Amino acid sequence: ASAEYVFMLERIRVLAQNLGFRSVQTQGNQLKLSYLSLGEMKLFKINERFPRLTNTKPIAKMREIESILTDIVPSIKKL
């Protein structure tokens, strides 16, 4: 299972980087994606809210983050 964690973390890091994000963090059920805009660090929000995670188990949470980065963010992100 630990190899799967490492693989998923690296995949999330690469997906986030390709979308222009500088960091990926979770705080409780909130996903916080930071990016640089006009020299200022900003946090990505959808309708003024952080994306919410519904899973609590680590591997399920990582799958959900991956899904947000591959399905939701590209369709609405304009950095």
Side-chain angles (χ1 to χ4, degrees):
S2 63
E4 186 178 5
Y5 286 127
V6 172
F7 176 75
M8 288 192 76
L9 285 172
E10 186 63 15
R11 183 165 163 76
I12 288 168
R13 187 191 67 75
V14 169
L15 284 168
Q17 187 176 24
N18 288 342
L19 288 166
F21 293 113
R22 297 288 179 101
S23 72
V24 178
Q25 300 176 27
T26 58
Q27 186 174 30
N29 68 342
Q30 297 178 337
L31 176 60
K32 296 190 175 182
L33 304 164
S34 66
Y35 63 96
L36 196 60
S37 176
L38 302 173
E40 182 181 335
M41 288 303 283
K42 302 222 174 182
L43 290 169
F44 177 79
K45 295 181 180 180
I46 300 171
N47 296 327
E48 301 302 316
R49 295 181 56 144
F50 294 112
R52 302 289 177 171
L53 302 171
T54 58
N55 293 296
T56 56
K57 294 190 186 322
I59 199 78
K61 192 178 271 193
M62 285 191 285
R63 283 190 187 112
E64 190 173 6
I65 293 168
E66 185 178 339
S67 176
I68 289 169
L69 289 171
T70 56
D71 301 334
I72 297 170
V73 173
S75 67
I76 61 173
K77 183 172 165 286
K78 305 277 188 288
L79 295 182

